[in-house]
Protein backbone atom coordinates (compact mmCIF):
# COMPACT_ATOMS: atom_id res chain seq x y z
CA UNK A 1 0.00 0.00 0.00
CA UNK A 2 1.27 3.49 -0.82
CA UNK A 3 1.19 5.71 2.24
CA UNK A 4 1.62 9.40 1.42
CA UNK A 5 2.64 12.29 3.65
CA UNK A 6 1.46 15.07 1.40
CA UNK A 7 1.31 15.39 -2.37
CA UNK A 8 2.75 18.12 -4.58
CA UNK A 9 2.11 17.55 -8.27
CA UNK A 10 2.23 19.92 -11.20
CA UNK A 11 -0.39 19.99 -13.93
CA UNK A 12 0.57 17.39 -16.52
CA UNK A 13 1.20 18.72 -19.99
CA UNK A 14 2.34 16.76 -22.99
CA UNK A 15 6.01 17.70 -23.23
CA UNK A 16 7.11 16.35 -26.58
CA UNK A 17 10.46 16.88 -28.22
CA UNK A 18 9.82 18.84 -31.45
CA UNK A 19 11.20 17.27 -34.61
CA UNK A 20 13.69 18.76 -37.04
CA UNK A 21 17.41 19.61 -37.07
CA UNK A 22 16.89 23.34 -36.46
CA UNK A 23 14.71 22.61 -33.44
CA UNK A 24 17.31 20.15 -32.14
CA UNK A 25 20.10 22.69 -32.52
CA UNK A 26 18.05 25.45 -30.90
CA UNK A 27 17.17 23.31 -27.88
CA UNK A 28 20.78 22.21 -27.43
CA UNK A 29 21.94 25.83 -27.52
CA UNK A 30 19.30 26.89 -25.00
CA UNK A 31 20.32 24.06 -22.66
CA UNK A 32 23.99 25.04 -22.96
CA UNK A 33 23.56 28.80 -22.59
CA UNK A 34 20.34 30.77 -22.96
CA UNK A 35 22.00 34.02 -24.02
CA UNK A 36 21.92 35.27 -27.65
CA UNK A 37 20.49 31.98 -28.85
CA UNK A 38 19.14 33.36 -32.15
CA UNK A 39 22.53 34.75 -33.20
CA UNK A 40 24.32 31.55 -32.24
CA UNK A 41 21.74 29.39 -34.00
CA UNK A 42 22.01 31.47 -37.18
CA UNK A 43 25.79 31.10 -37.23
CA UNK A 44 25.79 27.41 -36.37
CA UNK A 45 23.02 26.38 -38.77
CA UNK A 46 23.93 28.77 -41.56
CA UNK A 47 20.50 30.42 -41.64
CA UNK A 48 19.34 34.02 -41.39
CA UNK A 49 18.68 35.68 -38.05
CA UNK A 50 15.02 35.95 -39.10
CA UNK A 51 14.77 32.18 -39.56
CA UNK A 52 16.49 31.55 -36.23
CA UNK A 53 14.11 33.93 -34.46
CA UNK A 54 11.20 32.12 -36.06
CA UNK A 55 12.40 28.78 -34.71
CA UNK A 56 12.66 30.17 -31.18
CA UNK A 57 9.27 31.87 -31.48
CA UNK A 58 7.57 28.59 -32.42
CA UNK A 59 9.26 26.80 -29.51
CA UNK A 60 7.93 29.50 -27.21
CA UNK A 61 4.42 29.16 -28.63
CA UNK A 62 4.56 25.41 -28.07
CA UNK A 63 5.44 25.98 -24.40
CA UNK A 64 8.80 24.24 -24.76
CA UNK A 65 11.04 27.29 -24.37
CA UNK A 66 10.41 30.52 -22.47
CA UNK A 67 12.05 33.90 -22.96
CA UNK A 68 12.99 36.35 -20.21
CA UNK A 69 14.02 39.96 -20.76
CA UNK A 70 14.07 42.12 -23.88
CA UNK A 71 16.27 42.41 -27.01
CA UNK A 72 19.98 41.85 -26.22
CA UNK A 73 19.25 41.02 -22.57
CA UNK A 74 16.79 38.30 -23.55
CA UNK A 75 17.53 34.85 -22.13
CA UNK A 76 15.89 31.63 -23.31
CA UNK A 77 15.34 28.70 -20.99
CA UNK A 78 13.86 25.24 -21.39
CA UNK A 79 10.44 24.94 -19.76
CA UNK A 80 10.61 22.38 -16.97
CA UNK A 81 7.50 20.37 -16.15
CA UNK A 82 6.98 18.80 -12.73
CA UNK A 83 5.77 15.30 -13.45
CA UNK A 84 5.64 13.93 -9.91
CA UNK A 85 6.44 15.05 -6.38
CA UNK A 86 5.48 12.61 -3.63
CA UNK A 87 6.46 11.81 -0.07
CA UNK A 88 6.16 8.12 0.79
CA UNK A 89 6.50 6.10 3.98
CA UNK A 90 9.14 3.39 3.67
CA UNK A 91 7.32 1.01 5.99
CA UNK A 92 5.50 -1.54 3.83
CA UNK A 93 6.53 0.19 0.61
CA UNK A 94 6.80 -1.98 -2.52
CA UNK A 95 9.04 -0.58 -5.24
CA UNK A 96 7.23 -2.31 -8.10
CA UNK A 97 3.93 -0.75 -7.09
CA UNK A 98 5.53 2.67 -6.83
CA UNK A 99 6.84 2.28 -10.39
CA UNK A 100 3.63 0.95 -11.93
CA UNK A 101 1.17 3.14 -10.01
CA UNK A 102 3.07 6.42 -9.70
CA UNK A 103 6.24 6.86 -11.69
CA UNK A 104 5.53 5.12 -14.98
CA UNK A 105 2.23 6.96 -15.59
CA UNK A 106 3.84 10.27 -14.58
CA UNK A 107 6.66 9.96 -17.12
CA UNK A 108 4.15 9.81 -19.98
CA UNK A 109 5.00 8.55 -23.45
CA UNK A 110 8.44 6.94 -23.66
CA UNK A 111 10.21 4.72 -26.14
CA UNK A 112 10.27 1.09 -24.94
CA UNK A 113 14.04 1.12 -24.33
CA UNK A 114 13.75 4.22 -22.15
CA UNK A 115 10.82 2.88 -20.13
CA UNK A 116 12.81 -0.31 -19.55
CA UNK A 117 15.77 1.72 -18.22
CA UNK A 118 13.60 3.92 -16.02
CA UNK A 119 11.71 0.92 -14.62
CA UNK A 120 14.96 -0.77 -13.65
CA UNK A 121 16.58 2.37 -12.23
CA UNK A 122 13.62 3.60 -10.18
CA UNK A 123 12.81 0.22 -8.63
CA UNK A 124 16.47 -0.44 -7.78
CA UNK A 125 16.96 2.93 -6.08
CA UNK A 126 13.69 2.73 -4.13
CA UNK A 127 14.54 -0.82 -3.04
CA UNK A 128 17.93 0.40 -1.78
CA UNK A 129 16.12 3.01 0.35
CA UNK A 130 13.71 0.38 1.69
CA UNK A 131 16.34 -2.23 2.55
CA UNK A 132 19.45 -0.23 3.45
CA UNK A 133 18.74 3.38 4.44
CA UNK A 134 17.38 2.79 7.93
CA UNK A 135 15.08 5.74 7.31
CA UNK A 136 11.35 6.28 7.66
CA UNK A 137 10.39 7.98 4.40
CA UNK A 138 11.48 9.16 1.00
CA UNK A 139 10.64 11.90 -1.42
CA UNK A 140 10.20 10.97 -5.07
CA UNK A 141 10.48 13.76 -7.65
CA UNK A 142 10.29 13.57 -11.45
CA UNK A 143 10.58 16.44 -13.89
CA UNK A 144 11.21 16.86 -17.56
CA UNK A 145 11.89 19.31 -20.34
CA UNK A 146 12.07 18.90 -24.10
CA UNK A 147 15.50 17.24 -23.91
CA UNK A 148 15.49 14.92 -20.90
CA UNK A 149 13.69 13.45 -17.92
CA UNK A 150 15.12 13.62 -14.41
CA UNK A 151 14.14 11.60 -11.35
CA UNK A 152 15.27 11.99 -7.73
CA UNK A 153 14.88 9.48 -4.90
CA UNK A 154 15.72 11.06 -1.54
CA UNK A 155 15.46 9.10 1.71
CA UNK A 156 15.88 10.34 5.29
CA UNK A 157 18.12 7.52 6.47
CA UNK A 158 21.66 7.21 7.79
CA UNK A 159 23.37 8.14 4.51
CA UNK A 160 24.93 5.74 2.02
CA UNK A 161 28.59 6.68 2.47
CA UNK A 162 28.54 6.39 6.25
CA UNK A 163 26.59 3.13 5.90
CA UNK A 164 29.20 1.62 3.56
CA UNK A 165 32.04 2.93 5.73
CA UNK A 166 30.65 1.13 8.78
CA UNK A 167 29.83 -2.08 6.91
CA UNK A 168 33.28 -2.43 5.30
CA UNK A 169 35.30 -0.99 8.20
CA UNK A 170 36.69 1.87 6.12
CA UNK A 171 38.66 4.67 7.75
CA UNK A 172 36.56 7.49 6.34
CA UNK A 173 33.36 7.89 4.29
CA UNK A 174 35.30 9.18 1.26
CA UNK A 175 36.63 5.65 0.71
CA UNK A 176 33.05 4.49 0.09
CA UNK A 177 32.94 6.25 -3.27
CA UNK A 178 35.61 4.00 -4.75
CA UNK A 179 33.68 0.94 -3.57
CA UNK A 180 30.55 2.23 -5.28
CA UNK A 181 32.47 2.79 -8.50
CA UNK A 182 33.71 -0.82 -8.53
CA UNK A 183 30.26 -2.38 -8.35
CA UNK A 184 29.20 -5.68 -6.76
CA UNK A 185 28.86 -3.80 -3.48
CA UNK A 186 26.15 -4.79 -1.04
CA UNK A 187 25.91 -4.72 2.73
CA UNK A 188 23.25 -7.46 2.61
CA UNK A 189 24.73 -10.20 0.37
CA UNK A 190 22.07 -12.71 1.35
CA UNK A 191 19.40 -10.52 -0.27
CA UNK A 192 21.22 -8.40 -2.87
CA UNK A 193 23.76 -8.88 -5.65
CA UNK A 194 25.26 -5.40 -5.31
CA UNK A 195 24.68 -4.60 -8.98
CA UNK A 196 21.85 -2.06 -8.81
CA UNK A 197 23.78 1.18 -8.33
CA UNK A 198 26.55 0.15 -10.74
CA UNK A 199 24.25 -0.71 -13.64
CA UNK A 200 21.83 2.15 -12.95
CA UNK A 201 24.70 4.65 -13.11
CA UNK A 202 25.84 3.17 -16.45
CA UNK A 203 22.30 3.18 -17.89
CA UNK A 204 21.82 6.90 -17.23
CA UNK A 205 23.29 9.93 -19.01
CA UNK A 206 23.89 11.49 -15.58
CA UNK A 207 23.82 9.81 -12.20
CA UNK A 208 24.60 11.20 -8.76
CA UNK A 209 24.40 9.95 -5.19
CA UNK A 210 24.71 12.68 -2.58
CA UNK A 211 24.90 12.23 1.18
CA UNK A 212 26.38 14.49 3.82
CA UNK A 213 29.18 16.53 2.27
CA UNK A 214 29.97 13.98 -0.45
CA UNK A 215 28.57 13.32 -3.91
CA UNK A 216 29.44 10.42 -6.24
CA UNK A 217 28.94 11.62 -9.83
CA UNK A 218 28.89 9.45 -12.96
CA UNK A 219 28.60 10.92 -16.45
CA UNK A 220 28.43 9.07 -19.75
CA UNK A 221 31.87 8.93 -21.36
CA UNK A 222 33.49 10.62 -18.34
CA UNK A 223 35.37 9.46 -15.27
CA UNK A 224 33.48 9.09 -11.99
CA UNK A 225 33.97 12.09 -9.72
CA UNK A 226 33.91 13.05 -6.06
CA UNK A 227 32.13 16.36 -5.49
CA UNK A 228 32.13 18.22 -2.17
CA UNK A 229 28.76 19.62 -1.11
CA UNK A 230 27.85 22.73 0.85
CA UNK A 231 25.34 22.62 2.46
CA UNK A 232 25.40 18.89 3.24
CA UNK A 233 22.58 16.61 2.09
CA UNK A 234 20.66 14.74 4.82
CA UNK A 235 20.01 11.06 4.19
CA UNK A 236 20.76 9.89 0.65
CA UNK A 237 19.67 11.67 -2.53
CA UNK A 238 19.91 9.88 -5.89
CA UNK A 239 19.60 12.02 -9.03
CA UNK A 240 19.17 10.39 -12.46
CA UNK A 241 18.79 11.92 -15.92
CA UNK A 242 18.16 10.35 -19.34
CA UNK A 243 17.68 12.05 -22.71
CA UNK A 244 14.24 11.74 -24.28
CA UNK A 245 15.83 10.51 -27.50
CA UNK A 246 18.31 8.12 -25.85
CA UNK A 247 18.88 4.97 -27.94
CA UNK A 248 20.58 3.16 -25.05
CA UNK A 249 19.53 -0.42 -24.36
CA UNK A 250 19.63 -1.78 -20.81
CA UNK A 251 20.63 -5.18 -22.20
CA UNK A 252 23.70 -3.58 -23.82
CA UNK A 253 24.69 -2.00 -20.50
CA UNK A 254 24.58 -5.44 -18.88
CA UNK A 255 26.42 -7.07 -21.79
CA UNK A 256 29.29 -4.58 -21.60
CA UNK A 257 30.17 -5.86 -18.12
CA UNK A 258 29.14 -9.49 -18.44
CA UNK A 259 31.01 -12.66 -19.35
CA UNK A 260 29.35 -13.86 -22.59
CA UNK A 261 29.73 -17.52 -21.61
CA UNK A 262 28.41 -17.71 -18.07
CA UNK A 263 26.50 -14.35 -18.10
CA UNK A 264 28.09 -13.19 -14.84
CA UNK A 265 28.89 -9.57 -13.99
CA UNK A 266 32.68 -9.84 -14.21
CA UNK A 267 34.05 -6.57 -15.68
CA UNK A 268 34.49 -3.23 -13.96
CA UNK A 269 36.32 0.08 -14.30
CA UNK A 270 37.97 1.59 -11.21
CA UNK A 271 38.70 5.36 -11.31
CA UNK A 272 41.80 5.50 -9.11
CA UNK A 273 41.69 9.27 -8.66
CA UNK A 274 38.86 8.59 -6.19
CA UNK A 275 41.42 6.84 -3.98
CA UNK A 276 43.46 10.05 -3.63
CA UNK A 277 41.45 11.09 -0.58
CA UNK A 278 42.50 14.52 0.60
CA UNK A 279 45.07 14.75 -2.18
CA UNK A 280 47.06 11.74 -0.92
CA UNK A 281 49.54 10.29 -3.38
CA UNK A 282 49.14 6.58 -4.14
CA UNK A 283 52.41 5.29 -2.76
CA UNK A 284 51.86 2.56 -0.16
CA UNK A 285 51.02 -1.11 -0.09
CA UNK A 286 48.22 -0.40 2.37
CA UNK A 287 46.56 1.91 -0.15
CA UNK A 288 46.89 -0.73 -2.87
CA UNK A 289 45.34 -3.37 -0.60
CA UNK A 290 42.37 -1.10 0.14
CA UNK A 291 41.91 -0.38 -3.55
CA UNK A 292 42.07 -4.10 -4.40
CA UNK A 293 39.31 -4.90 -1.92
CA UNK A 294 36.78 -7.18 -3.72
CA UNK A 295 38.77 -7.25 -7.01
CA UNK A 296 38.75 -11.05 -6.77
CA UNK A 297 35.02 -10.98 -7.56
CA UNK A 298 35.81 -9.84 -11.11
CA UNK A 299 37.64 -11.44 -14.02
CA UNK A 300 38.57 -8.13 -15.67
CA UNK A 301 39.41 -4.96 -13.70
CA UNK A 302 40.27 -1.84 -15.71
CA UNK A 303 42.35 0.48 -13.53
CA UNK A 304 41.82 4.03 -14.80
CA UNK A 305 44.80 6.23 -13.84
CA UNK A 306 43.35 9.44 -15.29
CA UNK A 307 44.09 12.20 -12.77
CA UNK A 308 46.86 10.19 -11.08
CA UNK A 309 50.27 11.75 -11.81
CA UNK A 310 52.49 9.20 -10.10
CA UNK A 311 52.43 6.10 -7.90
CA UNK A 312 54.89 4.55 -5.48
CA UNK A 313 56.95 1.41 -6.02
CA UNK A 314 55.23 -0.38 -3.14
CA UNK A 315 51.78 0.56 -4.45
CA UNK A 316 52.55 -0.74 -7.95
CA UNK A 317 54.23 -3.90 -6.67
CA UNK A 318 51.30 -4.77 -4.40
CA UNK A 319 48.80 -4.55 -7.27
CA UNK A 320 50.69 -5.78 -10.31
CA UNK A 321 52.89 -8.43 -8.68
CA UNK A 322 51.46 -9.52 -5.32
CA UNK A 323 47.75 -9.29 -6.09
CA UNK A 324 48.23 -10.56 -9.65
CA UNK A 325 50.15 -13.61 -8.37
CA UNK A 326 47.60 -14.41 -5.66
CA UNK A 327 44.56 -13.90 -7.92
CA UNK A 328 45.46 -15.17 -11.39
CA UNK A 329 41.76 -15.38 -12.31
CA UNK A 330 41.52 -11.57 -12.13
CA UNK A 331 43.17 -9.60 -14.92
CA UNK A 332 44.29 -6.05 -14.04
CA UNK A 333 44.36 -3.72 -17.05
CA UNK A 334 45.86 -0.24 -16.52
CA UNK A 335 44.54 2.58 -18.76
CA UNK A 336 45.24 6.32 -19.07
CA UNK A 337 48.57 5.97 -17.28
CA UNK A 338 51.04 8.84 -17.71
CA UNK A 339 54.77 8.26 -18.22
CA UNK A 340 55.71 8.08 -14.53
CA UNK A 341 52.82 5.80 -13.66
CA UNK A 342 53.39 3.60 -16.70
CA UNK A 343 57.06 3.15 -15.86
CA UNK A 344 56.28 2.04 -12.31
CA UNK A 345 53.63 -0.41 -13.54
CA UNK A 346 55.99 -1.91 -16.13
CA UNK A 347 58.67 -2.32 -13.50
CA UNK A 348 56.28 -4.19 -11.18
CA UNK A 349 55.11 -6.46 -14.02
CA UNK A 350 58.70 -7.15 -15.06
CA UNK A 351 59.59 -8.10 -11.48
CA UNK A 352 56.61 -10.44 -11.40
CA UNK A 353 57.75 -12.08 -14.65
CA UNK A 354 61.30 -12.45 -13.36
CA UNK A 355 60.06 -14.06 -10.13
CA UNK A 356 57.97 -16.49 -12.20
CA UNK A 357 60.91 -17.27 -14.47
CA UNK A 358 59.18 -15.74 -17.53
CA UNK A 359 61.89 -13.29 -18.43
CA UNK A 360 64.36 -10.70 -17.18
CA UNK A 361 63.36 -7.71 -15.09
CA UNK A 362 63.86 -4.28 -16.60
Amino acid sequence: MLLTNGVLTGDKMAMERPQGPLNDQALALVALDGHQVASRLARQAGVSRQVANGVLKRLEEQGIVRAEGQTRARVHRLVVETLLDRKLDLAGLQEDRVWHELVSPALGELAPNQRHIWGYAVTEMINNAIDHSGGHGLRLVAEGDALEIRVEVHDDGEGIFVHIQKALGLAQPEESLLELAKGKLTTAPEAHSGQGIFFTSRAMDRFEIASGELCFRHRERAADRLVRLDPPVPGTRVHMALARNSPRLLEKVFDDHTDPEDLTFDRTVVPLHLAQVGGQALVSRSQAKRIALRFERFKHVELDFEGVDEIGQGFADELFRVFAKNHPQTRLVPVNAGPLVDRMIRRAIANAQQAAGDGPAT
Side-chain angles (χ1 to χ4, degrees):
M1 181 177 181
L2 299 179
L3 304 177
T4 62
N5 297 327
V7 178
L8 296 169
T9 57
D11 294 332
K12 285 289 300 290
M13 57 183 190
M15 179 74 71
E16 296 182 359
R17 182 187 178 100
Q19 302 298 311
L22 276 180
N23 286 328
D24 289 344
Q25 291 179 67
L27 291 171
L29 290 172
V30 170
L32 182 66
D33 180 359
H35 295 84
Q36 300 179 347
V37 177
S39 299
R40 291 157 55 214
L41 178 61
R43 290 194 301 271
Q44 178 175 301
V47 298
S48 68
R49 177 70 179 271
Q50 183 178 8
V51 170
N53 278 323
V55 171
L56 289 172
K57 185 65 175 177
R58 286 192 294 274
L59 292 175
E60 291 176 43
E61 292 171 350
Q62 294 170 13
I64 294 169
V65 169
R66 73 174 189 272
E68 303 171 354
Q70 300 295 324
T71 61
R72 288 185 176 276
R74 176 167 293 186
V75 178
H76 288 86
R77 305 188 190 282
L78 297 177
V79 173
V80 178
E81 175 189 6
T82 299
L83 306 172
L84 176 71
D85 192 336
R86 283 286 189 95
K87 293 181 179 179
L88 305 174
D89 288 339
L90 286 173
L93 198 64
Q94 299 174 30
E95 67 272 12
D96 60 326
R97 293 193 61 185
V98 177
W99 166 248
H100 289 297
E101 296 176 15
L102 287 180
V103 185
S104 183
L107 299 187
E109 293 295 325
L110 294 173
N113 66 304
Q114 295 164 26
R115 191 170 299 279
H116 190 194
I117 288 173
W118 277 120
Y120 174 81
V122 169
T123 55
E124 285 288 340
M125 295 306 99
I126 293 176
N127 181 260
N128 278 348
I130 294 171
D131 288 352
H132 302 301
S133 72
H136 300 287
L138 63 79
R139 184 179 180 186
L140 188 60
V141 179
E143 65 178 25
D145 54 39
L147 293 181
E148 68 178 15
I149 291 175
R150 299 175 287 275
V151 175
E152 280 194 358
V153 180
H154 190 173
D155 68 60
D156 61 359
E158 176 182 36
I160 186 170
F161 303 126
V162 171
H163 182 70
I164 294 173
Q165 178 193 5
K166 291 179 179 178
L168 298 185
L170 304 176
Q172 48 194 326
E174 284 86 347
E175 295 177 18
S176 303
L177 278 78
L178 186 66
E179 297 307 311
L180 275 181
K182 294 176 188 175
K184 282 193 179 180
L185 173 65
T186 178
T187 56
E190 69 283 353
H192 292 269
S193 65
Q195 300 180 18
I197 290 176
F198 182 90
F199 284 117
T200 297
S201 67
R202 270 65 181 175
M204 290 291 155
D205 295 329
R206 300 197 310 280
F207 178 88
E208 293 182 358
I209 296 185
S211 181
E213 298 179 349
L214 303 176
C215 177
F216 170 81
R217 175 176 293 171
H218 179 85
R219 296 285 188 270
E220 184 186 13
R221 293 188 295 273
D224 294 337
R225 296 295 178 193
L226 162 63
V227 180
R228 297 283 179 176
L229 302 176
D230 185 19
V233 172
T236 300
R237 183 183 68 206
V238 179
H239 178 89
M240 302 172 282
L242 184 67
R244 288 184 179 271
N245 65 345
S246 174
R248 189 174 298 116
L249 298 174
L250 186 59
E251 293 82 359
K252 179 65 164 56
V253 176
F254 289 136
D255 288 346
D256 287 344
H257 299 86
T258 299
D259 186 303
E261 294 184 1
D262 59 18
L263 301 181
T264 57
F265 170 29
D266 74 334
R267 303 172 65 88
T268 191
V269 179
V270 181
L272 290 179
H273 72 90
L274 290 179
Q276 299 179 124
V277 178
Q280 294 180 14
L282 301 180
V283 296
S284 71
R285 292 186 183 275
S286 295
Q287 289 170 309
K289 289 177 182 178
R290 287 197 298 271
I291 287 171
L293 183 67
R294 300 185 304 107
F295 276 8
E296 70 280 358
R297 300 184 183 183
F298 300 92
K299 294 181 181 178
H300 183 104
V301 177
E302 192 170 287
L303 297 171
D304 188 350
F305 283 90
E306 181 181 350
V308 178
D309 296 329
E310 58 182 317
I311 58 176
Q313 183 273 332
F315 178 90
D317 187 72
E318 186 66 34
L319 280 178
F320 294 99
R321 186 183 66 83
V322 178
F323 178 89
K325 177 184 177 182
N326 294 333
H327 301 87
Q329 77 284 358
T330 301
R331 183 185 179 207
L332 302 183
V333 181
V335 298
N336 298 322
L340 296 178
V341 172
D342 180 66
R343 182 178 180 183
M344 201 64 72
I345 292 172
R346 287 190 292 109
R347 178 179 294 175
I349 293 174
N351 287 335
Q353 292 173 342
Q354 182 186 46
D358 294 336
T362 58

